């Protein structure tokens, strides 16, 4: 079984994971993550959960400042992503990626609505934060990947302006980007003109309506929950970092769902299904489907540490309990092992699906609230993270999920534990 997986299955998966587009996508999106987390902190401060403190912050004039910071960090995540994806794509090809990032930024802004009429009836140029945030995420991905690819093609074929030796690197780089940059902007201008005349809209709005909304609908469904819950541990079972792979692909859509929920609140409406609220968001994935690590292995760690009979299992439990509190479980995945272990594959793949199902039903029925724009680092300890993103009801649901994981893993790890105990007794005997 292991030989078959290592020789036939894993290599094909690695080919897909190491494609230029996937690498550029998952690595480039990371540039927007710090600002999203920082913005979430200021959003939490602007909507402080304790009313007396919230009132004091508002009266002291801090709340508008907190909202401004949120708008200038979280709500430009797609803009940052468009730069990061193009930059990373070109950098991975061995070239200076910054010019490509700048070209991608210009293309991204070119594709957006850019005019608004003020009260006097005059047309004013603007950058809409609506399109620099969640609604522009798929557009940012498409633009970043295409610009990165085109820029790389020009450099590989030496279709650039060459500067003589001795010219400062900054000057040489700017001239190197001139021809590919002009080609991209001219092509983007043609696309803008065609879409504007044919559909009476901008390319960014067209991408959102025809591509992003359907994709968000697929992710924000029970089928999407089951797919994510299964695929992350499935890839991990083969030793492939499923959290990074699936998160890199699904993350933009989940983040867009999170931003859309916050936009509903910002508009003064109640966050619910009737108003278009999304159940499945980035918090849904981070705090319930990969909490304590892929496969939600805290129940496994608890057994290994407190109930295991074999020395090997107890040692793995001691090594795994600390990292598990911060949602890291590689010591357990490779120490038990769970990776390429057919016995442990069953609970490992079942638990996230079960957790996602319970969470989906809890939010759908109103037992737990939908998630706002507050994001916490994925390393935030469980229960604390649940309270921050959804209050005491969400924290309580996390407690239920973590307790459930023990019973899901128990019959399977017990078999492994007995095997190790028997081997240790034979060795000692």
């Amino acid at each position: 079984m292991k030989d078959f997986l290592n020789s036939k299955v894993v290599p094909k998966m690695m080919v897909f994971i190491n494609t230029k587009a996937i690498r550029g996508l998952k690595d480039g999106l990371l540039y927007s993550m710090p600002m999203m987390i920082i913005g979430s902190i200021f959003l939490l401060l602007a909507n402080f959960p304790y009313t007396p403190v919230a009132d004091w912050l508002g009266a002291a004039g801090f709340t508008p400042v907190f909202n401004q910071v949120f708008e200038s960090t979280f709500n430009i995540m797609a803009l940052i992503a468009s730069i990061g994806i193009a930059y990373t794509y070109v950098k991975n090809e061995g070239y200076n990626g910054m010019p490509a990032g700048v070209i991608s930024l210009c293309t991204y802004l070119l594709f957006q609505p850019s005019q608004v009429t003020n009260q006097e009836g005059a047309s004013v140029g603007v950058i809409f934060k609506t399109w620099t945030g969640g609604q522009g995420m798929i557009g940012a991905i498409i633009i970043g990947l295409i610009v990165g690819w085109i820029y790389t093609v020009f450099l590989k074929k030496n279709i650039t302006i060459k500067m003589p030796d001795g010219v400062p690197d900054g000057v040489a780089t700017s001239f190197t980007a001139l021809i590919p940059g002009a080609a991209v902007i001219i092509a983007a201008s043609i696309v803008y003109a065609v879409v504007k005349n044919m559909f009476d809209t901008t390319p960014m709005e067209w991408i959102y309506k025809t591509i992003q909304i359907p994709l968000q609908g697929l992710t924000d469904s029970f089928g999407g929950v089951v797919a994510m819950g299964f695929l992350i541990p499935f890839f991990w079972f083969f030793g492939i970092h499923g959290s990074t792979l699936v998160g890199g692909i699904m993350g933009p859509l989940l983040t867009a769902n999170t931003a859309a929920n916050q936009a509903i609140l910002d508009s003064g409406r109640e966050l619910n299904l009737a108003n278009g609220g999304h159940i499945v968001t980035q918090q849904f994935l981070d705090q319930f489907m990969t909490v304590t690590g892929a496969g939600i292995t805290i129940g496994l760690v608890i057994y290994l540490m407190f109930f295991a009979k074999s020395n090997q299992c107890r040692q793995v439990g001691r090594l795994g309990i600390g990292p598990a509190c911060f949602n890291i479980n590689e010591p357990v995945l490779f120490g038990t092992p769970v990776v390429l272990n057919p016995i442990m594959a069953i609970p490992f793949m079942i638990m996230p699906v079960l957790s996602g199902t319970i969470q989906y039903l809890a939010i759908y029925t109103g037992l737990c609230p939908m998630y706002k724009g507050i994001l916490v680092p994925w390393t935030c300890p469980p229960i604390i993270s649940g309270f921050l993103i959804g209050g005491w009801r969400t924290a309580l649901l996390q407690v239920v999920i973590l307790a459930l994981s023990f019973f899901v893993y128990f019959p399977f790890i017990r078999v492994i534990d007995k095997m190790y105990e028997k081997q240790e007794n034979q060795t000692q005997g």
Side-chain angles (χ1 to χ4, degrees), residues 359-408:
Q359 183 190 193
Y360 189 92
L361 292 174
I363 297 176
Y364 185 83
T365 58
L367 292 176
C368 288
M370 287 184 168
Y371 301 121
K372 299 180 286 186
I374 299 172
L375 292 172
V376 297
W378 65 268
T379 51
C380 184
I383 304 176
I384 296 175
S385 64
F387 180 78
L388 290 175
I389 66 171
W392 68 268
R393 287 183 292 171
T394 302
L396 181 60
L397 183 60
Q398 274 190 330
V399 173
V400 172
I401 295 299
L402 299 180
L404 179 63
S405 70
F406 176 83
F407 298 100
V408 170

Side-chain angles (χ1 to χ4, degrees), residues 115 264 287 296 375 414:
Q115 298 290 327
I264 292 172
Q287 271 67 61
I296 314 178
L375 292 172
R414 192 177 181 187

Side-chain angles (χ1 to χ4, degrees), residues 77-78 108 130-131 133-142 203-220 251-260 278:
M77 58 184 175
Y108 183 82
T130 299
W131 299 105
Q135 288 188 197
M137 185 57 77
I138 296 301
I141 292 172
I142 294 172
M204 193 65 70
E205 293 171 298
W206 184 85
I207 291 171
Y208 177 71
K209 292 176 183 178
T210 60
I211 301 177
Q212 182 162 331
I213 289 179
L215 286 176
Q216 285 185 235
L218 289 175
T219 59
D220 190 27
L253 296 171
L254 298 178
T255 303
N257 289 347
T258 300
H278 297 278

Side-chain angles (χ1 to χ4, degrees), residues 138-210:
I138 296 301
I141 292 172
I142 294 172
I143 292 168
L145 290 176
I146 291 177
V147 169
W149 172 69
I150 293 175
Y151 190 85
T152 302
V153 169
F154 271 77
L155 264 60
K156 284 184 175 181
K157 295 184 178 296
N158 289 319
I159 308 176
T160 61
I161 297 176
K162 302 294 191 302
M163 299 299 292
D165 296 336
V167 175
D169 290 339
V171 177
T173 299
S174 64
F175 276 92
T176 299
L178 189 57
I179 294 178
V184 169
I185 296 302
I186 291 171
S189 302
I190 295 172
V191 171
Y192 180 89
V194 171
V195 173
K196 189 69 175 176
N197 285 283
M198 289 185 63
F199 304 105
D200 192 28
T201 187
T202 63
M204 193 65 70
E205 293 171 298
W206 184 85
I207 291 171
Y208 177 71
K209 292 176 183 178
T210 60

Side-chain angles (χ1 to χ4, degrees), residues 265-306:
L265 291 171
D266 292 342
S267 68
R269 295 176 292 162
E270 184 181 354
L271 180 56
N272 54 35
L273 289 173
N275 288 330
H278 297 278
I279 294 177
V280 187
T281 62
Q282 187 64 47
Q283 302 97 315
F284 190 106
L285 175 65
D286 290 343
Q287 271 67 61
F288 278 90
M289 303 193 74
T290 58
V291 64
T292 73
I296 314 178
T297 53
I298 187 62
L300 171 61
V301 175
I302 295 299
Y303 176 90
L304 294 175
M305 188 167 182
F306 297 105

